[in-house]
Amino acid sequence: MTAFLIFSFLTGAVLGQRFRVFVLLPVTFAVVLTVLPVSMMTSLGFLEGMKAAALAAIALQGGYLFGSGARFALAAARATRVFGRPVKATRSL
């Protein structure tokens, strides 16, 4: 289950780099639809499957937060490189 949580976190980080927050709802729904049948096939039980789905959704959202923070940090670093010197607003005569 730890590997699945790491995969879910990394998937959320990639989604945070590329998409807006509304992508989390369908992806979380897909995770729940995937985790529950797999947990029933591996004889974990319904409650263990729900726990795994909830933890995967939390890891997905945490990864999204990390990815969007990384996107913001990269954009801020790029902006300081482009606008490194103050721009003069008026022309001197």
Side-chain angles (χ1 to χ4, degrees):
M1 186 157 114
T2 305
F4 181 66
L5 292 179
I6 292 171
F7 177 74
S8 181
F9 183 85
L10 292 176
T11 302
V14 169
L15 291 174
Q17 287 278 325
R18 302 288 175 214
F19 296 103
R20 299 282 178 207
V21 73
F22 294 116
V23 77
L24 285 177
L25 186 64
V27 172
T28 303
F29 186 67
V31 164
V32 170
L33 286 180
T34 305
V35 168
L36 288 179
V38 170
S39 68
M40 297 302 265
M41 285 189 288
T42 57
S43 70
L44 283 178
F46 183 73
L47 290 178
E48 288 292 322
M50 287 299 290
K51 184 175 89 171
L55 289 175
I58 291 169
L60 184 72
Q61 292 176 8
Y64 182 87
L65 182 66
F66 177 78
S68 65
R71 178 180 64 180
F72 176 75
L74 288 173
R78 211 174 301 132
T80 59
R81 192 174 17 177
V82 171
F83 301 111
R85 288 175 260 175
V87 179
K88 257 190 183 175
T90 61
R91 294 175 68 184
S92 59
L93 296 172

